[in-house]
Structures are given as C-alpha cells and as structure tokens.
Amino acid sequence: MKIELKNLQKTYKDGKSALKGLNLTLASPSLIGLVGPNGAGKSTLMKLLTANLFPSSGEIIVDGLPLEKQETLFKSSLGYLPQEFGLFEDLTTRQFLDYMAALKCIDKKAVEAEIDRVVSLTHLGDKRNSKIRTLSGGQKQRVGIAQALLGDPKLIILDEPTVGLDPAERVAFRRLFTDTAKSRLVILSTHIIEDVQSACDHLIVLNRGEVRYAGAPEELMAQNDAASLETAYMALMDGREEE
Ligand code: ADP
Ligand code: MG
C-alpha cells in the first residue's frame, strides 16, 4: 500500500489551520511514528487518513487513486484507534470485539477465532469476559488496540496507542507493532520519543501543522550529531514548540 499526501490542508470552521500543506509518501511495509507536541496536527492527519474528516484542499492518493473514489474499499482494509475512543462500558471485552467484528463485516464463522487472536495479541485473555467498565485505563487501551487489529487490516492507524499503558505493557506493544508492521503499514502517533526510537523505521515530526522532518530516525540523529533521538528531536523543536 502506498499513500501519497499532496499539499494536504485542513482548516477548521473556526479558521484554525491545523495542517498547512503536507507532502508525504507513506508506503508499506513500515512502522511510521508520527510525533509532535500537542496541537501539532497529529490527530487531524489521522482523521484525514481514515476518511473521518475531509481535507480543505489537497489530496490523499491511495495506490494511485484518490481516497474519496475508493472510500468503502479503503475502509474495509483499515484498522483505526482514535485518540478519544469511547468503549461500550456495559459489554464484556468479548462482546465488544464481537460487535466491532460485525461492524467490520468479518465472516461470522471466523469471528471467534479472530477474537481469540486479537485478545491473545493484546494479552487480554483473563479479561475476555469482564465488563469493560471494570477494566483499568491501560486494559481499556488494549481493548482499543485489539479492535484496531480485528480482521488483520493492511493499514493500521493508532492515535496515541501507548497512552495509559505501564512501561512493561508499552514494551510489549512496541514489539507487537513492529511484528505487525512487517507486512503492513502501521502509523502510530505518540509524544513519547522512546516509542519511536525502539520501534519505528520511519519518523514524521509535525509541528504547528507542518512537517519538520520525515525520514529514518537514525538520519535525524546523524543530522543533529545527537546521541539519542530525544536530543535530535529537541534540537529540531528548539524554540518552535507550541506554548
Ligand atoms: P494533536 O493531535 O497533534 O495534538 P490536533 O490534530 O488534535 O493535534 O489539533 C491540531 C490543531 O487543530 C490544534 O490547534 C487544535 O486546537 C485544532 N483543532 C483540532 N480539532 C479541532 C476542531 N474540531 N475544531 C477546531 N479546531 C480544532
Ligand atoms: Mg492528538
């Protein structure tokens, strides 16, 4: 899968310009880390990439065709974890995943096995029959990740997936995302540089609606003669962080 962003702009109704003309190419297989301070435009970009929001101008081209010309097909190969993700608190983990599987039109006969697969990937086996309202923040986040993986989509977009996870869970998820991205396109946003440093092969730094860097994380470190990605990122952001 290849996604090309051409002069992609988003201005909200109140006049707020969230994305100011992005030009990027995203191609599988890859684990892409989207990084930037609050308000940089990460969630806006992810909403545009998942056709939850439409650009004010510019284009998203998927495998050579404009996204809006193939929206249904595109959505059928997409897994998405929004930043604000409301779960159905009165359902159990299994019931919720079953519900999401139905929305994704996953074959009835394959549903149980597919739920088993994502429950096991997200280590939720012991929470399978627990109501979502009884889960911890990190466990709920894992349910959100599990539903994004349902149906084994070719494109997986995760908006701040590691928020609320404890350090051990975070390490486990980096490994899962790395494995998943071997044959897919996985895009995750984070403000934790360590998530990117240890897992992503491609880094996009956004600030104030503009791309500040796109390329290999190692290359950014080399450019700034930095010993860590954190240092290179700070050098890039110097004086430019959103207040
Ligand atoms: P990030 O995810 O990087 O924190 P967002 O994409 O959420 O950034 O926001 C980018 C900018 O757009 C911010 O200045 C934010 O206040 C603004 N914004 C986001 N959503 C809306 C909206 N629905 N209406 C108006 N402005 C918005
Ligand atoms: Mg966001």
Side-chain angles (χ1 to χ4, degrees):
M1 178 176 278
K2 182 169 154 194
I3 304 177
E4 295 161 273
L5 312 184
K6 299 200 164 158
N7 196 24
L8 193 68
Q9 302 192 20
K10 179 67 191 178
T11 303
Y12 285 106
K13 278 200 206 89
D14 61 3
K16 173 83 204 178
S17 173
L19 295 177
K20 300 169 185 164
L22 305 192
N23 290 290
L24 288 170
T25 300
L26 319 169
S28 61
S30 186
L31 178 54
I32 300 176
L34 180 62
V35 179
N38 280 334
K42 303 183 296 296
S43 294
T44 301
L45 176 56
M46 290 184 145
K47 286 174 192 168
L48 293 175
L49 283 173
T50 53
N52 276 284
L53 198 65
F54 297 94
S56 308
S57 64
E59 276 192 304
I60 300 177
I61 312 281
V62 182
D63 291 332
L65 266 181
L67 175 54
E68 68 271 17
K69 294 234 164 77
Q70 47 175 334
E71 217 182 298
T72 309
L73 182 66
F74 177 77
K75 282 179 176 165
S76 70
S77 54
L78 171 71
Y80 175 41
L81 172 68
Q83 186 170 5
E84 265 117 49
F85 187 58
L87 294 163
F88 297 52
E89 299 270 327
D90 285 311
L91 298 184
T92 65
T93 299
R94 195 203 65 78
Q95 287 168 335
F96 171 69
L97 292 172
D98 188 56
Y99 188 97
M100 294 306 281
L103 294 183
K104 289 190 176 196
C105 300
I106 292 171
D107 185 357
K108 265 265 168 226
K109 283 182 261 149
V111 167
E112 282 309 318
E114 184 54 10
I115 291 177
D116 284 344
R117 189 183 73 88
V118 299
V119 159
S120 143
L121 284 174
T122 52
H123 307 294
L124 282 165
D126 57 334
K127 297 294 169 193
R128 210 183 145 88
N129 295 312
S130 307
K131 283 201 176 188
I132 287 173
R133 71 163 70 261
T134 67
L135 304 184
S136 71
Q139 288 162 347
K140 286 183 185 175
Q141 191 70 356
R142 284 192 265 150
V143 176
I145 294 167
Q147 66 75 34
L149 297 173
L150 273 177
D152 203 9
K154 282 186 293 194
L155 172 65
I156 300 173
I157 297 186
L158 306 163
D159 202 347
E160 311 240 7
T162 59
V163 160
L165 301 182
D166 65 37
E169 286 175 325
R170 198 174 296 140
V171 171
F173 275 97
R174 283 183 205 144
R175 212 167 292 143
L176 170 61
F177 299 147
T178 312
D179 283 347
T180 308
K182 278 189 184 130
S183 53
R184 275 163 276 262
L185 183 56
V186 180
I187 307 172
L188 62 89
S189 73
T190 179
H191 50 256
I192 301 161
I193 302 296
E194 226 182 302
D195 287 343
V196 176
Q197 173 129 36
S198 49
C200 298
D201 56 88
H202 197 84
L203 166 69
I204 296 169
V205 180
L206 271 188
N207 195 22
R208 300 184 182 185
E210 289 174 313
V211 175
R212 299 279 296 121
Y213 179 80
E218 301 78 35
E219 178 57 27
L220 180 63
M221 287 166 61
Q223 277 176 18
N224 289 276
D225 205 12
S228 74
L229 192 59
E230 179 95 46
T231 316
Y233 173 74
M234 293 317 279
L236 193 63
M237 283 293 152
D238 196 19
R240 287 173 161 272
E241 281 245 14
E242 195 85 303
E243 56 289 326

